[in-house]
């Protein structure tokens, strides 16, 4: 299973970005897709997750109300809409696939290559 994340870039504080992830698999109905982020020297941090079949969503407290995770089942694509971005959101963002909306990275089996988001103050 390959996961291809894209959409990162440089944005000013208060701005928005939308990340995309294409899981190259059609057997997603029972899967959970998630976004994590990681700064150099820090642990990988849970951002948001979604149950692919039901569409139930889960968020880290730090992004609630600002980020929205969604999926387009017809396009087989995962999204992370990030609004009101802050400098502390700067990180490499990874999409991941697992079977339960856990916050621990170890619960996810497949990972994308990461896309860098830089928020300037």
């Amino acid at each position: 299973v390959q996961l291809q994340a894209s959409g990162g870039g440089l944005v000013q504080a208060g701005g928005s970005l939308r990340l995309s992830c294409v899981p190259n698999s059609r057997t997603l109905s029972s899967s959970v897709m998630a976004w994590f982020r990681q700064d150099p020297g820090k642990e990988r941090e849970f951002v948001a997750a979604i149950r692919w079949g039901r569409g139930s969503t889960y968020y880290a407290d730090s992004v609630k109300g600002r980020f929205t995770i969604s999926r387009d089942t017809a396009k087989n694509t995962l999204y992370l809409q990030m609004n009101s971005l802050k400098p502390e959101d700067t990180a490499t963002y990874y999409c991941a696939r697992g079977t339960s909306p856990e916050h621990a990275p170890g619960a996810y089996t497949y990972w994308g290559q990461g896309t860098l988001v830089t928020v300037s103050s």
Side-chain angles (χ1 to χ4, degrees):
V1 174
Q2 291 182 323
L3 304 175
Q4 297 178 331
S6 61
L10 174 63
V11 64
Q12 287 189 331
S16 299
L17 278 176
R18 188 176 78 161
L19 306 183
S20 300
C21 174
V22 180
N24 294 329
S25 170
R26 291 288 174 181
T27 58
L28 295 172
S29 58
S30 60
S31 295
V32 169
M33 296 295 298
W35 290 98
F36 284 77
R37 64 188 182 187
Q38 187 171 23
D39 249 349
K42 294 186 179 179
E43 293 186 353
R44 194 164 291 191
E45 174 190 23
F46 172 82
V47 174
I50 186 167
R51 291 190 183 274
W52 193 267
R54 298 178 194 172
S56 306
T57 57
Y58 310 83
Y59 294 95
D61 289 342
S62 58
V63 306
K64 276 181 185 175
R66 300 189 299 122
F67 290 10
T68 302
I69 188 171
S70 64
R71 87 278 191 248
D72 185 326
T73 56
K75 295 182 179 179
N76 209 47
T77 302
L78 173 74
Y79 299 103
L80 183 68
Q81 178 66 43
M82 304 185 294
N83 298 329
S84 302
L85 282 162
K86 305 175 181 179
E88 51 263 44
D89 294 318
T90 295
T92 298
Y93 284 71
Y94 299 87
C95 58
R97 177 181 172 184
T99 57
S100 180
E102 304 289 342
H103 288 209
Y108 295 82
T109 305
Y110 303 104
W111 292 85
Q113 81 283 10
T115 185
L116 179 61
V117 172
T118 304
V119 184
S120 62
S121 57

